[in-house]
């Protein structure tokens, strides 16, 4: 990475993926390791899980439970470090990186970006950090749940607040940071995902709506459904299973994402609770009438479907992404503006 | 059917499926027609949909858009009539049946049982009516969405309030009604579903929890998610799609099920809204803490999974039902008591 400093000829070129060092080998970290390995990219990692390490090693992966050694090795390799531990463990990992791998580029996969950004900022590491969040997962966790292809066609949110702030302050974004940004885009690409540039705040607000609120609703619905006892369970079909599936997620993970994004989740609850109260009032009326909510919900779903629109219905045998694509020359004039435009469209970027 | 009257030797035997006449050929009615046809059982039907009739006829099905003729034919055949129209059309269909097919056994597939039961009761048709509700569906509707195998392993709720009331009043359930009950069980079996005996009230309370409330939540979540605009949509992954899928259901169908089961749905909203308000308060606290809801939701999901338990994890290559089974000899001494026991367990019955 440091070798590219000042090499203006390389600005804008697709960054080849360096060696990748993954810290944390659960569902997400493990699946990234599998994808990189399947693509022939050099990758190794750390896990604190004895069983995870044993199972990964048995499958031939290069894993260790010695964090300082793994990070020292990453430092020698100028590896890209992927932090794939739960939020509560990020702080310690950052401190270890500061100690053992002070030269490495850093990204992460934590589902809330603000608290990670704050920890990074507090350690003066922003110049070598690019936040990430692959939007894929299952209700299972741990190395045993990891698999090749977990991220296929998923959005991989990549933060660029640092570049915006540099630009707003009239400073040029460092070539190092541009390099790391490009490496994270390439990481997403190798994993089959689509790089979606996001601001930290907008990311956290969006995932509160489309991920954290659904988790809260799933937990509450599971409680209410369970109260119905065996008959209700026996009659439960697709709508219940679909709506409660994510309530089977490890509680610590659900708590971490909701509690660290509490402000944004509270706002979405303040939107949905009145909708449900109105529905309750409409149904309790002498002539129950749910037209308002059902009509609005159906229109919303239809609109969301229409946004995907023509592309998804293409006759091409190759499945085409529903996200608009913007070709970006990293570090070139106006590239941060292009990222902003792409973000406003929920688009993906293709780095060249 | 009438031929079996007084034939005590047949009490308890599995009822062979008579000719079946399906009124309404949408997702559910159409799929029943396909399953019966695939099993070689005689079946014909009525639909008011021109395109549905054209498409079904083109596939070789025996369909008509002349209701009185279809019902007269059912009357001649002593067919079992399956009412598979939306709730708002049930009343007219019952009146037509009273006029053109006064001797036929009747069942239905409407997702709320109380209002149908009331219409049947008001017409003095209870002695030849057995309510049904196959717990399967998709967000699509119409003949075009129907398919073979839609009900495989699904619960097919079958009401038996009439038998309970007879028993409570010290009267013997008529052999005709027992026959129809057996035919509906056989219909469910031929469609690959599992017959789950239910009381009207308990059914409606249970489906409010596990079907209607999930629909209301899906509509509300779709509205909140849509407000997030293109970026939120771009980042939406499995948890959002799973939780909003059923909001794509035809609004009239969602309204019909919720509005005709309004009392029970209101009760479930009165359970879930406080859970969400508590969650909101927990997240708005200085130290956000969602342990209570997430812990309860996870335990609920775990408990629901455990109920399926050992059977689902059987090493047998044949997938075994998770519902406890009760073998029932229809009309035999104590059979209604056995239905009550089965209902309390959310079990299925095997008729012999």
């Amino acid at each position: 990475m440091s070798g590219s400093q000042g090499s203006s000829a390389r600005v804008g070129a697709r960054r080849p993926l360096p060696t990748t060092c993954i810290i944390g080998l659960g569902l997400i970290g493990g699946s990234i390791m599998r994808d990189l390995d399947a693509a022939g990219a050099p990758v190794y990692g750390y896990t604190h899980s004895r069983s995870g390490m044993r199972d990964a090693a048995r499958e031939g992966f290069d894993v260790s439970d010695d964090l300082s050694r793994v990070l020292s090795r990453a430092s020698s390799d100028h590896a890209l470090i992927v932090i794939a531990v739960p939020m509560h463990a990020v702080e310690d990992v950052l401190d270890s990186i500061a100690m053992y791998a002070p030269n490495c580029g850093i990204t992460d996969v934590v589902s809330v970006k603000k608290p990670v950004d704050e920890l990074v900022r507090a350690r003066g590491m922003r110049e070598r950090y690019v936040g990430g969040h692959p939007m894929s997962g299952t209700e299972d966790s741990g190395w045993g749940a990891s698999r090749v292809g977990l991220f296929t066609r998923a959005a991989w949110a990549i933060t660029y607040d640092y570049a915006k702030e540099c630009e707003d302050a009239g400073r040029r974004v460092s070539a190092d940071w541009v390099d790391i940004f490009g490496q994270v885009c390439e990481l997403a690409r190798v994993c089959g995902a689509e790089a979606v540039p996001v601001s930290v705040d907008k990311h956290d607000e969006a995932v509160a709506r489309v991920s954290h609120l659904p988790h809260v609703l799933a937990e509450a619905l599971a409680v209410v459904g369970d109260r119905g006892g065996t008959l209700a369970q026996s009659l439960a079909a697709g709508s219940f299973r679909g709506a409660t599936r994510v309530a089977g997620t490890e509680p610590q993970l659900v708590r971490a994402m909701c509690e660290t994004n509490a402000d944004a989740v509270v706002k979405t609850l303040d939107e949905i609770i009145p909708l449900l109260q109105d529905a309750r009032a409409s149904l309790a009326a002498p002539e129950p009438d749910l037209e308002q909510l059902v009509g609005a919900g159906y229109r919303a779903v239809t609109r969301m479907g229409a946004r995907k629109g023509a592309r998804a219905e293409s006759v091409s045998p190759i499945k085409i992404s529903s996200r608009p694509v913007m070709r970006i020359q990293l570090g070139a004039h106006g590239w941060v503006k292009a990222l902003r435009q792409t973000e406003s469209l929920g688009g993906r970027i293709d780095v060249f």
Side-chain angles (χ1 to χ4, degrees), chain A:
Chain A
M1 185 191 81
S2 57
S4 71
Q5 268 181 317
S7 158
S8 64
R10 284 199 52 220
V11 167
R14 172 174 277 171
R15 270 63 181 172
L17 202 56
T19 295
T20 304
C21 169
I22 305 175
I23 306 301
L25 298 172
L27 170 66
I28 303 296
S31 296
I32 294 173
M33 175 169 267
R34 289 180 187 278
D35 279 341
L36 290 174
D37 183 72
V43 57
Y44 51 84
Y46 159 85
T47 176
H48 79 294
S49 158
R50 283 284 159 86
S51 64
M53 192 179 95
R54 192 189 57 224
D55 294 346
R58 197 174 288 160
E59 291 186 60
F61 289 97
D62 187 350
V63 293
S64 163
D65 61 356
D66 185 333
L67 182 58
S68 56
R69 278 201 191 199
V70 169
L71 290 175
S72 299
R73 181 178 168 192
S75 182
S76 310
D77 294 344
H78 295 292
L80 173 68
I81 296 175
V82 180
I83 303 177
V85 297
M87 182 62 220
H88 68 84
V90 169
E91 189 162 8
D92 283 350
V93 170
L94 285 172
D95 287 339
S96 296
I97 291 173
M99 191 170 302
Y100 299 105
N103 59 324
C104 289
I106 307 165
T107 187
D108 74 307
V109 299
V110 176
S111 59
V112 187
K113 303 274 40 97
K114 182 92 174 172
V116 179
D117 195 61
E118 284 171 353
L119 292 174
V120 167
R121 191 185 293 257
R123 281 158 187 75
M125 290 169 137
R126 289 189 90 221
E127 291 188 31
R128 57 196 185 98
Y129 166 77
V130 173
H133 180 203
M135 301 297 302
S136 189
T138 72
E139 64 277 28
D140 300 317
S141 55
W143 170 266
S146 69
R147 61 176 174 83
V148 167
L150 181 66
F151 311 107
T152 303
R153 304 178 61 77
W156 192 303
I158 302 178
T159 64
Y160 67 105
D161 296 56
Y162 178 73
K164 280 199 298 185
E165 288 164 27
C166 286
E167 203 186 62
D168 290 347
R171 282 185 284 118
R172 196 180 164 78
V173 185
S174 75
D176 268 7
W177 192 89
V178 175
D179 251 352
I180 299 166
F181 186 90
Q183 288 167 4
V184 177
C185 291
E186 182 64 7
L187 175 66
R189 194 190 65 77
V190 170
C191 290
E194 301 184 350
V196 175
V198 293
S199 309
V200 165
D201 287 345
K202 286 189 179 145
H203 168 275
D204 289 357
E205 199 271 343
V207 294
R209 282 181 196 279
V210 298
S211 173
H212 305 164
L213 178 61
H215 276 84
V216 172
L217 294 179
E219 305 286 1
L221 181 60
V223 171
V224 174
D226 181 46
R227 286 183 192 156
T230 49
L231 179 62
Q233 291 322 306
S234 181
L235 299 185
S239 64
F240 187 77
R241 282 196 302 275
T244 55
R245 181 181 60 84
V246 296
T249 307
E250 191 62 39
Q252 292 302 328
L253 298 177
V254 179
R255 287 186 58 186
M257 63 174 79
C258 294
E259 292 169 4
T260 58
N261 197 23
D263 289 351
V265 178
V266 164
K267 280 181 196 150
T268 65
L269 283 166
D270 285 343
E271 291 188 30
I272 204 164
I273 290 172
L275 289 175
L276 297 176
Q277 287 169 325
D278 288 351
R280 193 248 180 241
S282 306
L283 286 172
E287 292 288 326
D289 181 349
L290 210 54
E291 197 285 324
Q292 200 173 355
L293 177 63
V294 174
Y298 185 74
R299 285 192 299 275
V301 162
T302 308
R303 195 158 40 229
M304 291 185 275
R307 285 201 193 111
K308 302 200 168 180
R311 284 163 174 274
E313 284 161 24
S314 162
V315 292
S316 162
I318 299 162
K319 216 179 162 197
I320 295 172
S321 169
S322 61
R323 298 179 186 95
V325 62
M326 182 87 84
R327 298 201 72 204
I328 302 259
Q329 192 174 6
L330 299 183
H333 179 73
W335 79 291
V336 178
K337 190 176 167 194
L339 291 180
R340 290 184 205 246
Q341 288 173 336
T342 310
E343 177 180 15
S344 71
L345 299 169
R348 64 193 167 96
I349 55 175
D350 183 21
V351 170
F352 72 100

